Amino acid sequence: MTYRRYALYYTPAEAGWSHWATRWLGWDMTQGAPVAPPEGLDIDPHGWTDTPRRYGLHATLKPPFRLAQGEGFAQLTEAFQHYCDTTPPVEIGAPTLTRLGRFLALMPAPQPAALTDAAAGIVRAFDPFRAPASDDELARRRAAGLSPDQEANLTRWGYPYVMEGFRFHITLTEKLSRQDIEKAEEILTAHLLPLLPERLTLDALSLAGEDDMGRFHLIERRRLAGQ
């Protein structure tokens, strides 16, 4: 398959919680196929996951990018494999169901400094493969209203929420109304939270690609094997 953009993600290993959350979102990036919602719910959650469904269950580490001129998929995968083989794991921390404005996500509380540093290292390492952001992409990011630090990140790295502005999050919903976010929070608290491990570890890195329909597929999940 040919991909129009690539990204570096945290994707969890197969487990009860990740299986449930994948079905909650409605897209299995490993299989590259839609999946039915979890059984036993009194509502179809896919009405709340239209945007995050395209990306699958993940946390972004290097935001989606087009390949720079002169760079190819073979070079990217070679660099990805070398990076994973020489980079050590890092603790993520305890996953907590958190409101991000009108979104719901799993986030560590607090976020370890080592995780922020690890994400910054991934951004730097793979930035040579990133084509510059287009004027339309820059304008779209700026429309949200950026701080001076976020503007500097956007200019340098093509995305405002990296480096010290990085917040690890596994998105579980799109923007919801007050009524819907309370209902979604109630369901996730009852069904997903009891399945979560006490702590998560960034012990593998995932290379993902975006198809022509805007859906992301897992290309490779590789263990972080550095010492």
Side-chain angles (χ1 to χ4, degrees):
M1 181 180 293
T2 301
Y3 300 107
R4 62 186 187 182
R5 291 193 301 171
Y6 298 91
L8 279 300
Y9 288 158
Y10 162 82
T11 64
E14 179 65 26
W17 79 269
S18 60
H19 177 72
W20 192 96
T22 293
R23 294 182 65 184
W24 167 270
L25 289 176
W27 175 257
D28 186 333
M29 70 163 66
T30 301
Q31 301 297 324
V35 288
E39 297 176 356
L41 303 184
D42 60 1
I43 192 169
D44 183 352
H46 293 177
W48 296 332
T49 63
D50 185 59
T51 300
R53 184 181 313 130
R54 297 189 297 115
Y55 298 85
L57 186 68
H58 80 288
T60 300
L61 298 169
K62 174 70 174 175
F65 58 92
R66 298 184 309 279
L67 284 177
Q69 186 174 2
E71 300 292 350
F73 177 70
Q75 292 92 334
L76 175 61
T77 54
E78 182 179 359
F80 169 76
Q81 291 167 358
H82 175 75
Y83 189 87
C84 292
D85 291 347
T86 56
T87 300
V90 62
E91 289 297 316
I92 294 170
T96 304
L97 185 62
T98 306
R99 291 193 185 192
L100 282 174
R102 290 161 53 195
F103 296 85
L104 288 172
L106 294 175
M107 301 180 68
Q111 178 170 299
L115 177 59
T116 305
D117 293 343
I122 292 168
V123 170
R124 292 190 190 97
F126 292 93
D127 206 59
F129 292 96
R130 177 182 63 87
S134 68
D135 290 342
D136 287 345
E137 290 169 330
L138 294 174
R140 187 168 63 252
R141 295 296 180 190
R142 288 170 175 145
L146 302 178
S147 70
D149 286 345
Q150 290 167 346
E151 174 64 29
N153 284 333
L154 178 64
T155 302
R156 174 61 184 88
W157 306 107
Y159 193 73
Y161 311 112
V162 293
M163 304 304 169
E164 292 303 317
F166 169 76
R167 296 295 177 267
F168 180 97
H169 61 284
I170 300 173
T171 304
L172 296 173
T173 72
E174 57 192 55
K175 290 182 179 179
L176 299 177
S177 67
R178 179 177 178 180
Q179 180 179 358
D180 283 346
I181 200 170
E182 290 177 353
K183 178 64 174 177
E185 194 170 40
E186 177 183 321
I187 293 172
L188 289 166
T189 298
H191 293 271
L192 177 59
L193 263 58
L195 301 176
L196 291 175
E198 291 186 3
R199 305 187 69 80
L200 298 176
T201 302
L202 179 60
D203 55 2
L205 193 59
S206 293
L207 176 63
E210 182 186 29
D211 67 20
D212 289 337
M213 299 297 291
R215 299 166 301 197
F216 277 80
H217 300 250
L218 181 64
I219 298 170
E220 182 179 1
R221 184 181 189 272
R222 192 174 184 90
R223 185 172 67 90
L224 295 179
Q227 299 300 316

